């Protein structure tokens, strides 16, 4: 096996990186692929919580890097999907406990064992970000349709260009189609117009995401929600499939009535 | 090689200028950090400009050093190099790449307010910097002459030029033309919607535009910055 290392990053915080990692991982593993997620947000770990694996942590990534355990011992197996693993971040150490070359070494070891290595990057462009992108074969940048998030995404793309990393792809998360229609939110085109990189996913705003995170059962596991579907589509596109974007623009009954009444 | 010949330090107007010798980068970097550790009080809180000579440095090198320095309370704000690779990296990281030598008028880029400077001062009319890529947020280009960008200038990117700035693309970032006081400098772009424009010491915050973009030229007229649509003559 030669696993692919995919790093999910953003620049701005809170845009949905951890949510994306958990859901894409679950979607890939449901298709029978072997996946390991690495929480790169040392000191602020939360991928374990969103995946519902927090109570099973024994060793973490710093233990691996500092040689206190073997890599296998730090890989927590998911309860639902036997092909899904998590290497948690350390909660009590700071990001300097791991270096970019540690990450490269760890991923090189894992590449032989799994199909996908997904790395959850911390926000920002400092050490934690560089740790997360150092081993990446692919980088996915998460942004929200919001000027400040897009600006930070642009900065990150510039830095990746400087590091001569392969061209990143974009996930636009928390799109609210009715706000876009009213002109109150940047559209996919607006975001693309500025960033000009390949768009690999468009995920709608969906309160089920928050419910699912609180339960520790990522949305992509099952459910009919559009957000879950959007994450599953990202997983398929990572696998090289051509998947059309789901129609987020299809209008609600209310919108259609409003339009008929000449209000829009 | 003795450490002292690897690291030379002098005080400049903008802080400390450190020149590193021609040693391999890891050696040079270690020498600098050792020097800092030997006089932590001297360096604490300093603004550091680094002259790395011909070293070709990548983003990973400079960001690693910047982290090391910031952990020691030192701000790296400029990297000067004769290597185009290093210069490019520094620009992408938003670091200054030119140290403006204090002129007799003590004119500086940030305080280019001395009105009685002759227009062409500090500007070599013949030289231009050619940039053939989109400048993304956080990028900062400083150049004594003119700057020509073949690509967009995104919001959050900055160009500071002694001469004029031409953007064959969309200008949505920050541009300061004639930054050393040249009031003849112009700014033109195919789509001119900058966050802010300056020519010499005049500042304009353009209104939000609607409608179809058109090529425009901005110049100083009667002491005011004015944008005019480009007309084929
Ligand atoms: N598509 C969505 N719809 C609704 N809520 C969402 C969506 N995506 C993410 N969220 C919510 O946004 C919040 C932030 O998400 P998340 O923790 O994944 O962001 P992050 O980028 O990892 O943040 P940090 O930078 O702090 O690591 C969470 O409460 C999450 O449930
Ligand atoms: Mg997170």
């Amino acid at each position: 096996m030669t696993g692919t290392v995919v790093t999910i990053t953003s620049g701005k915080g809170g845009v949905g990186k951890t949510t994306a990692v958990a859901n894409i991982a679950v979607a890939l593993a449901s298709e029978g692929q072997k996946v390991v997620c690495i929480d790169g947000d040392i000191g602020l770990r939360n991928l374990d919580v969103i995946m519902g694996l927090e109570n099973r942590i024994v060793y973490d990534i710093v233990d691996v890097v500092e040689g206190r355990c073997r890599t296998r011992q730090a890989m927590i197996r998911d309860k639902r999907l036997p092909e899904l693993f998590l290497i948690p971040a350390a909660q009590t150490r700071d990001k300097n406990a791991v270096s970019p070359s540690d990450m490269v070494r760890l991923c090189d070891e894992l590449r032989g064992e799994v199909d996908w290595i997904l790395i959850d990057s911390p926000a920002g462009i400092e050490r934690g970000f560089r740790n997360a992108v150092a081993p990446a074969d692919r980088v996915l940048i998460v942004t929200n349709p919001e000027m400040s998030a897009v600006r930070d995404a642009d900065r990150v793309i510039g830095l990746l260009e400087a590091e001569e990393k392969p061209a990143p792809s974009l996930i636009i998360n928390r799109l609210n189609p009715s706000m876009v229609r009213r002109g109150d939110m940047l559209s996919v085109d607006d975001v693309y117009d500025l960033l000009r990189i390949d768009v690999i996913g468009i995920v709608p705003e969906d309160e089920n995401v928050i419910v699912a995170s609180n339960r520790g059962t990522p949305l992509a596991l099952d459910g009919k929600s559009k957000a879950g579907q959007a994450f599953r589509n990202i997983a398929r596109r990572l696998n090289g499939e051509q998947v059309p974007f789901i129609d987020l623009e299809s209008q609600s009954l209310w919108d259609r009535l409003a339009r008929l009444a000449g209000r829009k | 090689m003795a450490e002292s010949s690897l690291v030379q330090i002098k005080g400049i107007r903008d802080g400390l200028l450190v020149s590193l010798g021609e040693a391999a980068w890891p050696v040079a970097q270690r020498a600098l950090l050792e020097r800092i550790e030997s006089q932590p009080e001297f360096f604490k809180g300093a603004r550091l400009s680094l002259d790395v000579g011909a070293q070709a440095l990548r983003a990973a090198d400079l960001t690693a050093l910047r982290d090391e320095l910031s952990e020691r309370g030192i701000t790296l704000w400029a990297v000067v190099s004769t290597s185009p690779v290093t210069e490019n990296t520094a620009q992408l990281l938003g670091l200054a790449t030119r140290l403006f030598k204090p002129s007799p008028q003590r004119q500086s880029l940030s305080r280019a307010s001395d009105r009685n400077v002759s227009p062409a001062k500090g500007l070599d009319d013949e030289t231009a910097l050619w940039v053939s890529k989109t400048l993304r947020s956080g990028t900062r280009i400083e150049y004594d002459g003119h700057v020509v960008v073949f690509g967009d200038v995104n919001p959050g990117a900055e160009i500071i030029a002694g001469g004029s700035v031409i953007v064959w693309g969309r200008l949505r970032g920050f541009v300061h033309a004639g930054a050393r006081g040249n009031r003849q400098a112009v700014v033109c772009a195919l789509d001119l919607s900058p966050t802010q424009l300056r020519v010499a010491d005049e500042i304009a915050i353009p209104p939000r535009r609607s409608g179809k973009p058109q090529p425009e030229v901005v110049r100083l007229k009667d002491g005011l910055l004015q944008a005019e649509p480009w007309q084929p003559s």
Side-chain angles (χ1 to χ4, degrees), chain A residues 13-19 41 123 173-174 203-206 209-210 213:
Chain A
V15 295
K17 296 177 290 296
T18 304
T19 305
D41 204 347
N173 185 30
R174 306 194 77 157
V203 184
E205 172 78 22
D206 185 341
V209 172
I210 301 169
S213 302

Side-chain angles (χ1 to χ4, degrees), chain B residues 22-127:
Chain B
E22 294 292 307
W25 177 244
V27 178
Q29 176 173 334
R30 196 157 358 99
L32 170 60
L33 294 176
E34 276 165 13
R35 177 67 174 271
I36 291 168
E37 244 123 63
S38 70
Q39 294 163 281
E41 288 315 312
F42 175 73
F43 283 97
K44 187 121 199 140
R47 268 162 61 83
L48 209 85
S49 312
L50 207 58
D51 184 345
V52 299
Q55 299 260 13
L57 301 178
R58 306 264 165 200
D61 303 318
L62 283 184
T63 49
L65 177 62
R66 187 165 64 174
D67 286 355
E68 295 281 357
L69 292 173
S70 79
E71 274 160 30
R72 291 164 176 81
I74 300 165
T75 311
L76 179 64
W77 78 278
V79 170
V80 183
S81 172
T82 53
S83 153
V85 174
T86 306
E87 184 156 78
N88 186 29
T89 306
Q91 287 166 350
L92 277 161
L93 295 175
L95 297 165
T97 50
R98 309 266 149 170
L99 303 177
F100 285 89
K101 290 170 202 80
S103 62
Q105 291 101 328
R106 297 203 124 263
Q107 213 194 331
S108 81
L109 259 190
S110 47
R111 293 176 290 123
S113 51
D114 201 346
R115 275 168 180 267
N116 52 22
V117 175
S118 67
K121 187 155 176 42
L123 171 68
D124 176 350
D125 265 342
E126 300 306 318
T127 50

Side-chain angles (χ1 to χ4, degrees), chain A residues 8 17-38 47 51 78 81 83-86 116-119 140 218 220-221 231-232 234-235 238:
Chain A
I8 286 108
K17 296 177 290 296
T18 304
T19 305
V21 169
N23 280 286
I24 296 168
V26 158
L28 288 167
S30 324
E31 291 178 6
Q33 310 197 39
K34 197 165 177 185
V35 184
V36 53
C37 304
I38 302 179
L47 185 56
M51 293 176 71
D78 189 83
L81 297 161
E83 297 286 56
L84 176 59
F85 298 85
L86 167 70
W116 298 96
I117 300 151
L118 302 187
I119 303 178
L140 308 186
L221 263 177
F231 282 121
R232 284 198 295 273
I234 294 172
L238 275 175

Side-chain angles (χ1 to χ4, degrees), chain A residues 5-7 111 119 132-139 165-166:
Chain A
V5 181
V6 182
T7 296
R111 259 186 247 269
I119 303 178
V133 297
D137 301 311
R138 295 201 57 172
V139 178
K165 286 276 160 197

Side-chain angles (χ1 to χ4, degrees), chain B:
Chain B
M1 207 190 280
E3 189 222 90
S4 56
S5 61
L6 277 177
V7 183
Q8 281 171 18
I9 299 172
K10 66 177 180 197
I12 57 171
R13 196 190 53 231
D14 295 312
L16 296 175
L17 173 62
V18 174
S19 306
L20 296 178
E22 294 292 307
W25 177 244
V27 178
Q29 176 173 334
R30 196 157 358 99
L32 170 60
L33 294 176
E34 276 165 13
R35 177 67 174 271
I36 291 168
E37 244 123 63
S38 70
Q39 294 163 281
E41 288 315 312
F42 175 73
F43 283 97
K44 187 121 199 140
R47 268 162 61 83
L48 209 85
S49 312
L50 207 58
D51 184 345
V52 299
Q55 299 260 13
L57 301 178
R58 306 264 165 200
D61 303 318
L62 283 184
T63 49
L65 177 62
R66 187 165 64 174
D67 286 355
E68 295 281 357
L69 292 173
S70 79
E71 274 160 30
R72 291 164 176 81
I74 300 165
T75 311
L76 179 64
W77 78 278
V79 170
V80 183
S81 172
T82 53
S83 153
V85 174
T86 306
E87 184 156 78
N88 186 29
T89 306
Q91 287 166 350
L92 277 161
L93 295 175
L95 297 165
T97 50
R98 309 266 149 170
L99 303 177
F100 285 89
K101 290 170 202 80
S103 62
Q105 291 101 328
R106 297 203 124 263
Q107 213 194 331
S108 81
L109 259 190
S110 47
R111 293 176 290 123
S113 51
D114 201 346
R115 275 168 180 267
N116 52 22
V117 175
S118 67
K121 187 155 176 42
L123 171 68
D124 176 350
D125 265 342
E126 300 306 318
T127 50
L129 178 71
W130 168 253
V131 184
S132 67
K133 61 170 183 253
T134 286
L135 300 181
R136 294 186 181 273
S137 177
T139 311
R140 178 183 168 99
I141 302 256
E142 284 175 43
Y143 192 70
D144 269 345
H146 311 293
V147 175
V148 182
V149 180
F150 185 65
D152 295 343
V153 179
N154 281 357
E158 300 178 2
I159 299 176
I160 296 143
S164 296
V165 176
I166 297 177
V167 179
W168 187 266
R170 292 174 298 187
L171 167 47
R172 291 184 282 193
F174 169 91
V175 168
H176 190 174
R180 282 161 160 283
N182 179 0
R183 301 174 68 81
Q184 257 72 61
V186 300
V187 178
C188 25
L190 293 185
D191 176 1
L192 189 92
S193 22
T195 31
Q196 197 194 94
L197 269 190
R198 295 188 196 169
V199 174
D201 51 359
E202 303 298 336
I203 301 181
I205 301 164
R208 259 187 195 283
R209 122 175 27 259
S210 49
K212 205 162 163 280
Q214 54 178 350
E216 282 178 291
V217 186
V218 175
R219 52 167 62 87
L220 264 176
K221 263 191 183 162
D222 312 321
L224 281 178
L225 279 178
Q226 298 187 354
E228 285 167 8
W230 173 80
Q231 302 288 1
S233 43

